[in-house]
Amino acid sequence: MVFIFFFLICFFSSGYIFPQSHFNSKQVENKIIIDGIINESSWLHADSISNFIQVEPDFGKPAEHKTVVRILYNSDFLYISGTCYKKDKDEEVRVSDLKRDFMFEDSDGFGIILDLLNDKRNVTAFFINPMGAQRDVMAFDEKIIDENWNTKWYSVTKINSISWTFEIAIPWSSLRYSSGTESIGANFVRLDRESNELSAWVPYPRTFTMFRLNYAGVISRLKFPEPHQDIRFTPYLLTQTQTGKNFSRNGDNIKSGADVKWALNSNTLLDLTLNTDFAQADADRDVINLTRFDILFPERRQFFLESAGLFKTGSADGIIEPFFSRRIGLDDSGNSVPMDGGIRLVHRDIENNYGVLTARTHIPDSLNSFFLIGRYSQNYGEQNRFGFLTTYRGDDFNNGLDNNIVAAADGFNRISDVLSFNWMLSGSGYLQKKDQHYYGYTQSASLKYLTEDINLFLNEYLISNDYSAASGFVAAKNISVLEAGTDLYLRPQWKPDFIRDFEPALYFNYYGNLNDGRLRQFYLTIWPIYILFQNGGVFSAKWLPNRENLYEEFSPAEGVTFPKGKYFYNRYEFRLATDPSANLSCDFLFSTGTYFDGALNKLSSQIKYRPIANISVSLNYEPNWFSDTGISKTNKKIDIISSELNLALNPFVSLSGFYQYNSEDKSSLTNLRFAWEYSPLSYFYILYNIGKSKSIGGKNIDHYQLMLKLSYQFQL
């Protein structure tokens, strides 16, 4: 009934209608020199796009910062050049960092959004900032975004007194398109970070993202070369030495392996990995979990990040994931498990998408694991899809075999431009080595209504006690969840110029036991104050009244244990964040109030200093103060401290350092990494790690590791 009521409220709402823009590209015979200087005669005689429109802060008005874009192509490359003018000579060009896949929102930047399949669903996007850092993204239906997809393309930028310019060359072999393509959907976006003006060739409503292809223009008079097979072979060689105290894997070793990317055609890509290594992946950040839900740590390994969106199902992010790639090659503590290899086949076209992933891992003399994941989705209508996912995991222990199978069906329906519905059904079967069988199910549904003025959402999840996704993730079992809420986006005429909008919100969250219907937790999020400043800073304050019923003891930290019972408590949160693009920025989130039968104060703080784009240092401090809590009326403090240093000679050579300390278990991690992209997607790494922790028996474990890794990508 709740869904029906919500549907009736939203159904007759209409979306936004804007005229479609068109542009004719130009073919050239010569090869354009990519040097960031737009002085070749081919550029000077090409037509240009310059009528950019604001998305933020004043939607629909002409952009105050002029942008001129030109498009050329030949048989090998698609060329795009741009001149991004300053409003005045004194205006600052802002760049947050030089790493690949930089944060677009924190820098001056330019983005190219391409609809290569002309289906208004599949996005291929390229971004660049004034210092030449690159970012490439794939997205589907605006919702499923693959920010870690990387392909080969070339770019150079230049900064002068009145503008910054760029030249980009994208090989046709790096793009996936249909045979006979002569026109594509496209949009171009520019962010001027000092004024925080976001403009686009075709403006899109500010509550949507730039990946909403309903608002793309059309580039015509293109002659795409016929798609052909493209094979890229990337072998690597790694040598390492490791030693330590009470550490069982001391010694030196040399390791080699390879990755292969084979574009079977313009829509199908085969990835193979052999003796896979993830030495350069970022370390997990420590957290203190104060809830009764397990925490989903993000995937950080490149092989699994690419095409990850295709294997995603449902909308219960962080709650239900029938497939989650961290189950492959990592144990429950995040430690690496040797991976013998894997195969991934991915296909995308206008009508359907499908993928298959298989991998094998092993722990010597202990466990061999085999994974098989299959995914299919069928597109229908303008932006609707239906699909299914199956996963299999077999764990071969020395004393028997465990088998886990999961099947899921899901769908997405864009009912109108502002109203969407997402759902999933999943079941699992688990056969243990002692012939014990477990069968479970889960279900999720989400309805969302989003305009420029309001966001309404309604989410519902069920997870049975026996649902088991050995290749996936569930935050809790035997639970029924109902979430509903609204956000308002208010821009009254009387607001000061330094404020972009007010975003008050109200959320409702209910968690109950699925088997007996008893209340587990209920809380409101009352968010009367949320101020978004024009520079990207935030000030907010919210109140969270909670009711929790504990049917068994709960221990969020060592020495803090709450007995069974009913609890009523109130939490208050205050946040202040300054302009994240400024040389010095900070973000403070302070929460206070009662916590079960005691009190808890918590501070999450970050201070970041960036004197120039090539150098940045950040300090994170998270103290947690427990007062008079639990059975023992414990008073204790837990600190998590981390710091990060990034030094970049240019977008291709960098040195980074990371340190974190957790006072709860006296563990620490130090990571130093030198990275050199000496050729596109070919790298040389030097990594040095120091880890300090305690074993289950209380022994101090010290671990020192030095690694050198070299990879090179051959295009066959």
Side-chain angles (χ1 to χ4, degrees), residues 187-203:
N187 205 355
F188 304 103
V189 296
R190 180 198 172 178
L191 179 61
D192 180 84
R193 195 55 187 81
E194 184 173 355
S195 64
N196 214 8
E197 179 188 81
L198 178 64
S199 58
W201 177 37
V202 182

Side-chain angles (χ1 to χ4, degrees), residues 143-188:
K143 278 182 59 65
I144 302 174
I145 299 174
D146 183 358
E147 296 182 330
N148 295 280
W149 170 73
N150 290 328
T151 192
K152 185 177 290 188
W153 52 293
Y154 306 90
S155 60
V156 177
T157 60
K158 297 290 184 183
I159 301 174
N160 56 56
S161 61
I162 62 171
S163 67
W164 65 275
T165 62
F166 64 84
E167 287 183 300
I168 291 174
I170 306 173
W172 293 115
S173 59
S174 295
L175 302 176
R176 303 288 170 256
Y177 52 87
S178 300
S179 177
T181 298
E182 295 183 352
S183 64
I184 58 173
N187 205 355
F188 304 103

Side-chain angles (χ1 to χ4, degrees), residues 62-277:
E64 295 188 359
H65 294 78
K66 184 179 179 181
T67 307
V68 179
V69 181
R70 294 178 172 88
I71 305 169
L72 301 171
Y73 69 95
N74 59 21
S75 59
D76 297 315
F77 295 95
L78 174 65
Y79 297 104
I80 301 170
S81 72
T83 303
C84 301
Y85 289 95
K86 301 178 182 180
K87 194 174 179 180
D88 57 67
K89 291 184 178 181
D90 296 329
E91 191 172 65
E92 178 186 9
V93 173
R94 295 192 178 186
V95 177
S96 61
D97 59 60
L98 302 184
K99 65 183 179 182
R100 191 178 186 112
D101 296 330
F102 64 96
M103 288 290 293
F104 180 75
E105 297 81 3
D106 293 346
S107 298
D108 281 26
F110 185 87
I112 302 161
I113 317 298
L114 302 178
D115 180 9
L116 297 170
L117 297 178
N118 288 313
D119 63 354
K120 298 188 181 299
R121 310 186 75 164
N122 283 281
V123 169
T124 304
F126 302 88
F127 301 86
I128 193 167
N129 70 25
M131 296 287 285
Q134 295 180 341
R135 183 173 186 253
D136 28 26
V137 174
M138 295 188 78
F140 180 70
D141 277 350
E142 191 189 24
K143 278 182 59 65
I144 302 174
I145 299 174
D146 183 358
E147 296 182 330
N148 295 280
W149 170 73
N150 290 328
T151 192
K152 185 177 290 188
W153 52 293
Y154 306 90
S155 60
V156 177
T157 60
K158 297 290 184 183
I159 301 174
N160 56 56
S161 61
I162 62 171
S163 67
W164 65 275
T165 62
F166 64 84
E167 287 183 300
I168 291 174
I170 306 173
W172 293 115
S173 59
S174 295
L175 302 176
R176 303 288 170 256
Y177 52 87
S178 300
S179 177
T181 298
E182 295 183 352
S183 64
I184 58 173
N187 205 355
F188 304 103
V189 296
R190 180 198 172 178
L191 179 61
D192 180 84
R193 195 55 187 81
E194 184 173 355
S195 64
N196 214 8
E197 179 188 81
L198 178 64
S199 58
W201 177 37
V202 182
Y204 51 91
R206 57 179 176 255
T207 49
F208 299 163
T209 75
M210 61 188 70
F211 304 134
R212 181 67 72 94
L213 290 173
N214 304 55
Y215 302 94
V218 176
I219 300 176
S220 304
R221 296 185 183 178
L222 290 165
K223 294 182 180 179
F224 281 50
E226 282 300 305
H228 63 278
Q229 291 191 5
D230 178 41
I231 302 176
R232 300 184 182 187
F233 174 62
T234 309
Y236 79 86
L237 179 67
L238 179 147
T239 179
Q240 69 173 337
T241 180
Q242 50 188 347
T243 185
K245 178 183 177 183
N246 296 319
F247 184 71
S248 60
R249 290 179 288 175
N250 292 335
D252 305 332
N253 70 293
I254 296 176
K255 180 180 178 181
S256 62
D259 296 330
V260 177
K261 283 187 177 297
W262 184 0
L264 303 175
N265 54 51
S266 61
N267 304 109
T268 309
L269 180 65
L270 177 66
D271 284 286
L272 300 96
T273 180
L274 178 65
N275 206 20
T276 316
D277 175 78

Side-chain angles (χ1 to χ4, degrees), residues 297-321:
F297 286 92
E299 177 62 86
R300 298 181 181 273
R301 300 167 297 170
Q302 189 62 39
F303 176 80
F304 292 111
L305 286 167
E306 293 192 12
S307 300
L310 179 65
F311 294 91
K312 187 172 181 58
T313 57
S315 61
D317 298 345
I319 303 294
I320 311 167
E321 304 280 355

Side-chain angles (χ1 to χ4, degrees), residues 493-510:
Q493 293 184 350
W494 52 261
K495 72 174 181 63
D497 290 340
F498 64 87
I499 291 178
R500 176 158 290 183
D501 65 18
F502 302 96
E503 301 179 11
L506 176 64
Y507 305 153
F508 163 100
N509 298 80
Y510 169 88

Side-chain angles (χ1 to χ4, degrees), residues 420-663:
S420 62
F421 179 62
N422 210 330
W423 62 271
M424 182 190 71
L425 298 171
S426 178
S428 69
Y430 190 45
L431 173 61
Q432 287 188 318
K433 49 186 172 289
K434 295 181 180 180
D435 295 327
Q436 295 179 347
H437 298 72
Y438 301 92
Y439 300 97
Y441 67 92
T442 185
Q443 173 265 324
S444 69
S446 177
L447 190 61
K448 186 172 185 177
Y449 173 75
L450 178 64
T451 72
E452 286 196 330
D453 303 312
I454 190 170
N455 172 39
L456 294 169
F457 66 88
L458 182 62
N459 304 322
E460 178 261 340
Y461 320 125
L462 302 174
I463 309 174
S464 73
N465 193 54
D466 289 330
Y467 182 78
S468 176
S471 302
F473 173 85
V474 290
K477 294 185 178 183
N478 183 34
I479 194 168
S480 171
V481 180
L482 182 64
E483 300 173 337
T486 181
D487 301 88
L488 301 178
Y489 309 109
L490 307 177
R491 300 192 178 192
Q493 293 184 350
W494 52 261
K495 72 174 181 63
D497 290 340
F498 64 87
I499 291 178
R500 176 158 290 183
D501 65 18
F502 302 96
E503 301 179 11
L506 176 64
Y507 305 153
F508 163 100
N509 298 80
Y510 169 88
Y511 306 89
N513 289 341
L514 181 60
N515 61 349
D516 57 20
R518 291 188 296 173
L519 174 67
R520 185 180 294 193
Q521 182 181 12
F522 168 77
Y523 70 91
L524 295 174
T525 302
I526 302 170
W527 215 330
I529 301 174
Y530 187 102
I531 301 173
L532 177 64
F533 298 103
Q534 291 286 9
N535 63 10
V538 170
F539 174 72
S540 70
K542 63 183 177 181
W543 170 36
L544 297 96
N546 276 264
R547 175 182 172 179
E548 284 204 55
N549 294 339
L550 295 182
Y551 303 111
E552 58 185 22
E553 290 184 350
F554 170 55
S555 181
E558 185 177 352
V560 179
T561 301
F562 301 103
K564 294 188 294 182
K566 296 181 179 180
Y567 297 87
F568 300 87
Y569 60 93
N570 291 278
R571 304 288 302 158
Y572 306 91
E573 289 189 3
F574 306 90
R575 183 186 176 205
L576 175 63
T578 63
D579 180 357
S581 72
N583 290 347
L584 179 64
S585 64
C586 60
D587 193 339
F588 299 106
L589 175 63
F590 177 68
S591 64
T592 186
T594 51
Y595 178 65
F596 290 94
D597 62 359
L600 171 67
N601 293 324
K602 178 184 176 74
L603 175 66
S604 297
S605 60
Q606 181 186 70
I607 298 175
K608 188 172 184 178
Y609 178 58
R610 184 176 55 248
I612 57 176
N614 308 71
I615 302 173
S616 70
V617 60
S618 65
L619 175 64
N620 298 270
Y621 179 47
E622 184 182 314
N624 298 263
W625 294 275
F626 295 88
S627 301
D628 203 25
T629 53
I631 296 173
S632 303
K633 297 301 179 183
T634 303
N635 295 291
K636 71 177 299 183
K637 181 185 176 191
I638 301 175
D639 293 325
I640 295 181
I641 303 170
S642 65
S643 181
E644 193 166 353
L645 172 68
N646 289 285
L647 306 174
L649 182 64
N650 54 49
F652 311 105
V653 181
S654 65
L655 175 66
S656 62
F658 173 72
Y659 171 81
Q660 70 178 7
Y661 171 76
N662 187 331
S663 68

